[in-house]
Amino acid sequence: MKKMSSALIGTALIATLAGCALPWRQPAPAAKEVELQLVTINDFHGNIEASKYVIDSAYGLGPRTVTAGGIDTLGAALQAWRKEDPELLLVGAGDLIGGSPAISSMWADEPTIGAMNLLGLKVSSVGNHEFDAGRLELLRQQKGGCASPRPEKACQFSATYEGAKFQYLAANVIDMVTRKPLLPAYKIEQARGVKVAFIGTVLRDAPEKLLASGIAGLEFIDEAEAINRQLPELRKQGVGVFVVLIHQGGRTTDKFDQQDCSHLTGPVVDVVKKLDPAIRLVVTGHSHRGYLCKVDDRLVTQSDMGGHVLSRITMKVDLASQSVRELRASQEVMTAGRWPTDPKMDAYLAQVRERSSSALARPVARLAVPSVLREKHDDGESALGDLVADAILAAGRPYGGQIAFMNNGAMRQDLETTSGNRVTAGQALYVLPFGNTVVAMNLRGLQIRELLEQQWLGGRDITRGLMQVSEGFSYSWDPRAAIGSKIVPDSVMLHGVPIENDTTYRIIVTNFLAEGGEGFSVFPLGRNRAETGIRDIDALTDYLVKREQAGKPAGRSEPLGRIKRLQ
């Protein structure tokens, strides 16, 4: 028998020991915690191209204006972050579409849905603007297809439309027949072995902002109640991490990127305080104000509108209890060049621009000024409001129109021009993207006074501003007077003559207001209604053309003083 060399003996001993569980070499303990990465977006409003954004950071040198957003930059950022964490989850808090620039709205926002698909969005709550064209159109945008109440827009960008690959959520939007949510209440996603339930709601007061006919048969219930009722069912499915995506927001005096802000106010605060204690993270939208706040030891976030800012959130989850142990968040301004480009998103944006450019560049008419601003003066009036109200009245003249009213929310941007003060079709559509139609009705003078007083109910004058009015109509209001008595007696005039309580006047509005939009309960009482079928955008462009043809281009730099605020 041959003797083994000492080297062979050593090798054999090492091999033997390696195969044994030695008491002094225990296996590495299993991880007790994992970190999940979320990125959130809200109120994108179809802004697939970059636009101006004012950065006012808690850590900067003061406000400065930059160009930010655009799906090319969002794609570049997400591509870079997914290289760091391939399981990153992109989620939304509503109003991804609606109130969009012409490059998206002219195609029924299908380019925006396509962009969200390419960006890898997983889930989003509905916002009020998802309902702009009604429940049937929302369901089409979710599921796909071309059967639409907007046939002039649907499936015009592409011959087919496949729908959203992400899931819209609507826990508090209840079908009155089935008594079930119109869309799923929640969606469970999994990352790093952890189940995360995203529960989505829209603000309960959404019907005030929507066409009543478009949401017929739907009930919008309390947000917190709708959210909390999902938890028992989710717990049965082994979920312990809950994230609320709510299209309701607040405001704060803190900067958009201030950590742990404690000054958040507004409707969302009351909702958050009623949520189940297990919910630690609430992602909000609607108020277009960025914040990273704490409410009852919960993290409450919002990025900013238009894709200017994305919120990045890190969740540290205890694997044993499947619960959130720690939350961190930051705001990332989407300025181009910070990340390597995403060729896929660059190509998609180029495709949308090429498809849209000729239609958007079509010249409409010349204005008297380079731009007409939607900014309201202290009286509550804006130069743009004057112009649009006059255009709506002009469209309603053949139907006997005497007075026109226009809500601020329907006018999304200033009316800008190109060289020579010339307005293009795209610039006009940017102002009025919804395609509301013109309605004529009769109201008595007393009803008009009541209508004007409704502008201050519930503090809505702060959030929506006063309605804009047409030429020849004027009134004064007293900021010191009680709600219900703001209008100065005998100041409500039509062509310099006080309106009479029992006299009937022919009123022109959009169908949104005619159905009681923004809480104006007087408009639905109007008699002898005439649905003209004229779209507000067509009324505007026709008015601009006729004014130019008459040698009197429309538009002023300042409001014309139709609304007066007492000092």
Side-chain angles (χ1 to χ4, degrees):
M1 184 175 180
K2 294 182 179 180
K3 292 183 178 180
M4 296 178 65
S5 69
S6 59
L8 288 174
I9 294 172
T11 301
L13 180 60
I14 291 172
T16 302
L17 293 176
C20 299
L22 298 179
W24 60 86
R25 290 191 61 187
Q26 295 293 333
K32 295 182 179 179
E33 294 180 334
V34 295
E35 285 193 344
L36 309 184
Q37 303 295 323
L38 305 183
V39 175
T40 69
I41 185 171
N42 59 272
D43 299 278
F44 185 68
H45 288 295
N47 280 267
I48 63 178
E49 295 184 295
S51 56
K52 291 181 181 178
Y53 172 62
V54 178
I55 300 178
D56 192 7
S57 171
Y59 311 102
L61 300 177
R64 68 185 190 278
T65 301
V66 300
T67 299
I71 57 173
D72 49 346
T73 299
L74 270 61
L78 288 163
Q79 175 182 255
W81 298 339
R82 286 186 173 118
K83 287 182 178 178
E84 300 170 4
D85 183 358
E87 297 189 58
L88 173 151
L89 298 174
L90 174 65
V91 299
D95 277 8
L96 304 179
I97 56 176
S100 309
I103 195 172
S104 182
S105 64
M106 68 184 295
W107 309 117
D109 276 319
E110 289 170 14
T112 295
I113 298 291
M116 292 296 143
N117 290 342
L118 289 174
L119 290 172
L121 184 70
K122 293 292 188 182
V123 63
S124 176
S125 66
V126 292
N128 53 287
H129 281 283
E130 265 80 14
F131 288 94
D132 280 344
R135 65 186 291 182
L136 294 180
E137 180 69 345
L138 170 57
L139 293 175
R140 182 191 77 87
Q141 288 174 314
Q142 173 74 77
K143 300 175 183 178
C146 297
S148 168
R150 301 184 289 180
E152 77 283 359
K153 293 183 176 183
C155 292
Q156 300 301 308
F157 178 70
S158 177
T160 59
Y161 172 63
E162 296 181 356
K165 295 180 181 178
F166 59 92
Q167 180 63 60
Y168 271 123
L169 304 177
N172 70 325
V173 183
I174 308 301
D175 186 304
M176 293 181 181
V177 175
T178 66
R179 300 311 304 170
K180 294 180 180 179
L182 174 69
L183 291 160
Y186 63 81
K187 188 169 189 280
I188 299 172
E189 293 288 343
Q190 192 156 326
R192 303 197 179 280
V194 175
K195 291 181 178 180
V196 182
F198 294 95
I199 309 169
T201 67
V202 66
L203 67 154
R204 185 178 186 177
D205 294 334
E208 285 192 5
K209 304 176 181 297
L210 302 170
L211 277 170
S213 57
I215 56 171
L218 297 178
E219 180 183 4
F220 292 70
I221 67 173
D222 181 80
E223 305 98 325
E225 176 189 341
I227 292 165
N228 289 336
R229 69 168 58 165
Q230 310 306 320
L231 267 60
E233 181 178 326
L234 288 166
R235 287 183 171 119
K236 289 179 181 178
Q237 298 179 60
V239 179
V241 179
F242 312 102
V243 177
V244 167
L245 307 174
I246 178 171
H247 192 73
Q248 175 61 288
R251 297 175 184 273
T252 177
T253 54
D254 293 293
K255 305 297 186 183
F256 79 106
D257 55 354
Q258 175 65 54
Q259 292 291 323
D260 297 337
C261 95
S262 57
H263 301 103
L264 188 65
T265 61
V268 77
V269 175
D270 293 333
V271 177
V272 171
K273 289 184 175 181
K274 293 189 290 185
L275 294 178
D276 187 289
I279 297 170
R280 299 284 310 283
L281 173 61
V282 181
V283 179
T284 76
H286 188 57
S287 55
H288 293 196
R289 293 290 188 273
Y291 45 75
L292 304 172
C293 294
K294 284 291 184 70
V295 177
D296 286 355
D297 200 36
R298 307 178 210 263
L299 177 60
V300 182
T301 73
Q302 185 171 159
S303 54
D304 206 287
M305 69 83 58
H308 295 139
V309 176
L310 297 183
S311 299
R312 297 188 70 182
I313 302 170
T314 300
M315 305 175 66
K316 186 173 288 186
V317 177
D318 180 271
L319 291 175
S321 62
Q322 290 288 297
S323 60
V324 177
R325 288 292 182 241
E326 183 181 328
L327 285 163
R328 302 189 306 274
S330 63
Q331 305 278 39
E332 296 280 353
V333 180
M334 294 290 103
T335 49
R338 291 183 61 190
W339 305 275
T341 61
D342 178 354
K344 174 183 61 178
M345 295 308 299
D346 287 353
Y348 184 76
L349 179 56
Q351 176 192 357
V352 179
R353 283 173 168 163
E354 181 181 5
R355 183 79 176 85
S356 310
S357 58
S358 59
L360 297 178
R362 178 178 60 83
V364 172
R366 186 170 61 87
L367 293 186
V369 291
S371 62
V372 185
L373 305 182
R374 70 193 290 262
E375 180 182 4
K376 298 180 292 295
H377 285 211
D378 289 343
D379 292 330
E381 186 178 348
S382 73
L384 182 62
D386 290 344
L387 174 60
V388 174
D390 287 350
I392 297 297
L393 178 61
R397 288 286 193 197
Y399 299 86
Q402 296 173 282
I403 305 167
F405 294 99
M406 189 67 187
N407 61 304
N408 293 289
M411 301 177 292
R412 303 303 292 181
Q413 296 291 339
D414 301 337
L415 180 58
E416 302 285 0
T417 64
T418 56
S419 60
N421 294 352
R422 190 155 293 279
V423 173
T424 66
Q427 289 165 326
L429 192 56
Y430 206 179
V431 174
L432 298 174
F434 298 116
N436 292 327
T437 56
V438 175
V439 177
M441 67 176 70
N442 289 349
L443 289 178
R444 290 181 294 109
L446 185 62
Q447 290 176 306
I448 293 174
R449 296 180 191 278
E450 182 182 353
L451 177 71
L452 295 175
E453 294 288 2
Q454 288 184 339
Q455 297 179 109
W456 287 272
L457 292 179
R460 295 186 179 103
D461 58 306
I462 298 172
T463 57
R464 70 187 178 194
L466 304 185
M467 285 187 297
Q468 305 300 298
V469 301
S470 59
E471 60 175 332
F473 185 76
S474 62
Y475 68 91
S476 301
W477 61 280
D478 188 346
R480 297 161 297 184
I483 292 175
S485 303
K486 294 283 188 184
I487 302 302
V488 177
D490 299 325
S491 73
V492 185
M493 302 272 190
L494 181 58
H495 301 300
V497 179
I499 65 169
E500 300 289 340
N501 284 348
D502 293 328
T503 299
T504 295
Y505 299 87
R506 197 67 168 154
I507 307 301
I508 309 298
V509 291
T510 63
N511 58 333
F512 171 72
L513 286 177
E515 294 185 11
E518 293 198 343
F520 288 107
S521 60
V522 171
F523 284 126
L525 303 178
R527 307 286 297 276
N528 297 333
R529 303 164 80 91
E531 304 283 347
T532 72
I534 301 170
R535 296 190 308 159
D536 52 6
I537 181 61
D538 295 331
L540 175 61
T541 55
D542 288 349
Y543 179 73
L544 298 180
V545 169
K546 289 176 181 176
R547 285 290 300 266
E548 183 185 17
Q549 290 174 343
K552 299 178 180 180
R556 294 291 180 268
S557 298
E558 297 291 330
L560 294 170
R562 299 167 183 175
I563 304 172
K564 293 183 173 61
R565 178 182 186 268
L566 297 188
Q567 300 303 317

